[in-house]
Structure formats: C-alpha cells, structure tokens
Amino acid sequence: TSLRRCLSTLDLTLLGVGGMVGSGLYVLTGTVAKQMAGPAVLLSFAVAAVASLLSALCYAEFGARLPRTGSAYLFTYVSMGELWAFLIGWNVLLEYLIGGAAVARAWSGYLDAMFNHRIHNLTEAYVGTWQVPLLAHYPDFLAAGIIILASVFISCGARVSSWLNHTFSVVSLVVILFVIILGFILARPHNWSAEEGGFAPFGFSGIMAGTATCFYAFVGFDVIAASSEEARNPKRAVPIAITISLGLAAGAYILVSTVLTLMVPWHSLDPDSALADAFYRRGYSWAGFIVAAGSICAMNTVLLSSLFSLPRIVYAMAIDGLFFQVFAQVHPRTQVPMVGILVFGGLMTCLALLLDLEALVQFLSIGTLLAYTFVATSIIVLRFQ
C-alpha cells in the first residue's frame, strides 16, 4: 500500500467512538424520548445496538480478511463485482458528504444558540435571506468554515488527524461520564411512575419506532473498516476496535438516556437540546455549559471521521479504475489522498453553506441500510464461494 500503516487498536477504537458518539447523543435522546418512546428510549437504544452489532460483525470479518481501504465498497467489489460496487461506492460517498454537512450545520447551530443567535442575526442582516426550495434560508458561513478547518487537519496525515480525534473523543467521553454521574445524583424515580405516564407510554410500537431512529446513532463504525489499510495489524485490530467502540457507544447512549428521563419528566423535554436544558431546569446552569462544550467536541469527532473516510473510499475506487485516476494519487510526504480531500472537502463545504439539510438527512438512513444490507449479503456470498 502507498498509505502509511501507523494506526494502533486504540487509534481505531477512538475513531469508531468518535464516529458514533456525536450529535445523536445530545439531540436524538431527547427527541426519541419525548416523541416516540418515553423513558423506554433506553430499550430502543439497546435493540438498535444489537442490530448494529450484527452488522458490525460482518464489517469486522471483512476488515480482517481484506485489510484494504474502501469499507462497504471494497467488500461488495470482492464478492459481487464492479457494477454493484460502483453503486455502493457512490452511495457511501453521498452518505458521508450529506452526513458531514449536516453535522457541520448542527455544530454551527449549537454554537449560535450558545451566543443567543447573534451569528444567525448578523448573517441575515448583512447577507439577507432566500426563499428557494431545498436551499437554506441564509448561507451558513460558520458551518463552511469548520469543514475547511477540519479538511486542513485531515490533509496533514493520518497521525495528525488521529491525535486530533483522540483529544476531542477523550473530552467527549469525560463529559458523558460527568453527565451520567451527576444525572444519577439528581435522579428522581418518580419520573418513571404511572403519574408521569409510566415507563413505556407509547407501548411496544413506540419502542420499535424509537429503535428505527436510534439506529442512526450507531452509524459510524464503518470508519474503522475504511481505515484498515492504515492499521498496523488489521487482522487483530479491526475486529477488536469495532466491538469495543460499539460497546462503548451503546453504553453511553443507554446510560445517558436513562439519566435524562430520570432527571426531568420525559414529556417536558426540549427535543433540540435535551441534556443541557435538563440541567438548566434542575438549577445546574454551569453543568449545561459543560454539556454544550462536550456536544461541540462530539460533533467535531463525527465531522473528522466523515472527512477521514470520504477521500479513502474515493482513493479505493480510483485504484480499481472506477473513478478518475487523479484521485488515486497519494501525497508523498503526508501519505494521504490529497486530491480527494480537496475536492470532496470543497463539495461538503458548499453543501453546508447553501443547502437545507432536513430533507437530505432522511436519505442518509436509506443509504446506510443499503450499504449494510450489501455487506451482510457479501459475507454470505463469500462463505458459499
């Protein structure tokens, strides 16, 4: 390989955790608890985690058998041929592009809310607003800026982006630990009682509907499979990293959703910033700021993992001749696919700047389902071959 094999098992594990524990923890838990499952949101996360683990085991087996970059694209190529691989490759590319842009917009929205929507008001005052279908009401310069900055760090090499990811991931995990401990201290079991609607107010169908949404939270472990060509010992590191990172993410989601619904009644949660709001309402406004800082770190890790995987999948497609050859070039010093980072980083910047991503995010789950289905089918094909 022309890429540098420099990532350890710990590096891959933290990459996986960074890809999964993002905005979902701070936004998704409140939304699912209030609108779909009530306190039973913890069961929704548990079922979604089991479903994701089954899919992750397919990725782990492939990652150990084929220690090359490309993730779902490569696995489909090996077992089903070029046509299906080409379709899945583009599917995964679009998934990362939209996912990265959506996270950047969520990041800028969160930061804007911390400063009382001053950035939003200034942009509207100086640039104006648009009323065009599919376009956002105003250009989000902050979201575009964070993608450009992240692309610069990613282009410095796998080692640098891995260290940056470590820093953000560790801060994020420390904040989650703080939330869980303080949350259990402030817990009121009465919030799960029949007077507040009970443990599962929407019944079994509500738990299952919650599971379908919660599944999106565990999308991100494929970053480990995508970076297996840069792992020192992929046969051992990839399966271990996928299992540990999924276990950590599942534990974080289940425990945080438990303390959230125990701190305040589920029907009074604020879906947009449930965790920070719960602490504000219990009189711990300083804890709300720590949560906000943790959420920004978590969103940074998701953005980094999207930008880390994207150029590597493009690079894999270019090497196989399914994409322009210029994308197969690797920078001699940093040993990263620089052209892919520049082009797709620029595309993601444009998406975050101009598009309204609410509609596009709905396509993300369909794209993920397709990729996971093909990887699972490829395992069966490979075994019978």
Side-chain angles (χ1 to χ4, degrees):
T1 173
S2 49
L3 302 175
R4 183 183 294 164
R5 285 202 182 276
C6 61
L7 301 177
S8 65
T9 309
L10 179 69
D11 295 335
L12 289 177
T13 305
L14 284 175
L15 262 177
V17 169
M20 283 182 277
V21 181
S23 48
L25 191 78
Y26 298 91
V27 181
L28 209 61
T29 41
T31 310
V32 176
K34 183 165 186 176
Q35 297 169 2
M36 297 175 191
V41 59
L42 65 102
L43 294 180
S44 294
F45 276 117
V47 177
V50 171
S52 298
L53 179 67
L54 297 175
S55 197
L57 291 173
C58 298
Y59 273 86
E61 183 171 331
F62 259 123
R65 280 190 182 198
L66 302 165
R68 302 284 307 206
T69 195
S71 188
Y73 155 76
L74 175 80
F75 307 154
T76 311
Y77 190 99
V78 169
S79 55
M80 295 192 190
E82 282 187 353
L83 176 64
W84 292 111
F86 181 77
L87 292 172
I88 289 295
W90 270 103
N91 175 52
V92 174
L93 285 183
L94 289 171
E95 190 187 309
Y96 278 127
L97 265 176
I98 297 166
V103 168
R105 277 197 89 104
W107 182 94
S108 81
Y110 225 88
L111 201 68
D112 193 26
M114 282 171 75
F115 291 108
N116 230 351
H117 300 290
R118 281 186 202 144
I119 305 164
H120 167 208
N121 296 337
L122 270 172
T123 312
E124 286 199 345
Y126 287 101
V127 181
T129 57
W130 309 315
Q131 297 297 332
V132 185
L134 279 181
L135 287 189
H137 294 307
Y138 65 96
D140 197 336
F141 295 110
L142 192 61
I146 185 69
I147 292 175
I148 292 167
L149 193 65
S151 301
V152 170
F153 279 110
I154 293 289
S155 59
C156 294
R159 198 77 241 148
V160 175
S161 40
S162 171
W163 273 109
L164 191 66
N165 180 67
H166 282 14
T167 312
F168 286 132
S169 292
V170 168
V171 172
S172 182
L173 287 172
V174 168
V175 170
I176 290 165
L177 203 61
F178 161 78
V179 165
I180 292 165
I181 293 166
L182 184 59
F184 273 120
I185 293 167
L186 297 175
R188 288 177 180 157
H190 175 73
N191 289 331
W192 281 12
S193 69
E195 289 166 44
E196 298 288 356
F199 178 68
F202 297 96
F204 181 72
S205 59
I207 295 171
M208 286 292 115
T211 301
T213 309
C214 293
F215 185 75
Y216 174 67
F218 298 103
V219 173
F221 59 77
D222 49 343
V223 66
I224 299 172
S227 42
S228 56
E229 198 167 322
E230 286 154 287
R232 287 190 204 129
N233 181 9
K235 275 203 166 97
R236 183 172 176 277
V238 172
I240 291 174
I242 284 180
T243 316
I244 293 174
S245 63
L246 199 73
L248 282 172
Y253 277 111
I254 291 166
L255 287 170
V256 167
S257 54
T258 304
V259 298
L260 179 65
T261 51
L262 279 171
M263 274 166 64
V264 291
W266 62 270
H267 50 77
S268 64
L269 289 168
D270 173 16
D272 295 329
S273 54
L275 269 178
D277 185 61
F279 282 113
Y280 281 128
R281 283 180 32 214
R282 291 299 300 271
Y284 287 78
S285 50
W286 55 272
F289 271 104
I290 294 174
V291 169
S295 72
I296 283 174
C297 284
M299 287 184 209
N300 282 339
T301 60
V302 177
L303 187 61
L304 283 170
S305 73
S306 283
L307 277 165
F308 189 85
S309 307
L310 240 176
R312 281 153 180 81
I313 290 163
V314 175
Y315 161 82
M317 289 175 76
I319 277 187
D320 293 336
L322 295 182
F323 208 57
F324 304 114
Q325 280 305 298
V326 69
F327 289 99
Q329 291 172 13
V330 172
H331 193 276
R333 196 171 61 81
T334 58
Q335 288 184 301
V336 291
M338 193 67 87
V339 183
I341 293 171
L342 289 172
V343 172
F344 283 89
L347 263 173
M348 196 187 282
T349 307
C350 293
L351 282 180
L353 183 70
L354 301 172
L355 288 188
D356 174 35
L357 292 151
E358 289 299 318
L360 292 175
V361 168
Q362 302 300 323
F363 289 110
L364 270 185
S365 300
I366 302 167
T368 308
L369 182 68
L370 202 63
Y372 284 6
T373 306
F374 267 85
V375 171
T377 313
S378 298
I379 281 283
I380 296 169
V381 170
L382 207 66
R383 288 211 173 157
F384 280 102
Q385 278 177 352

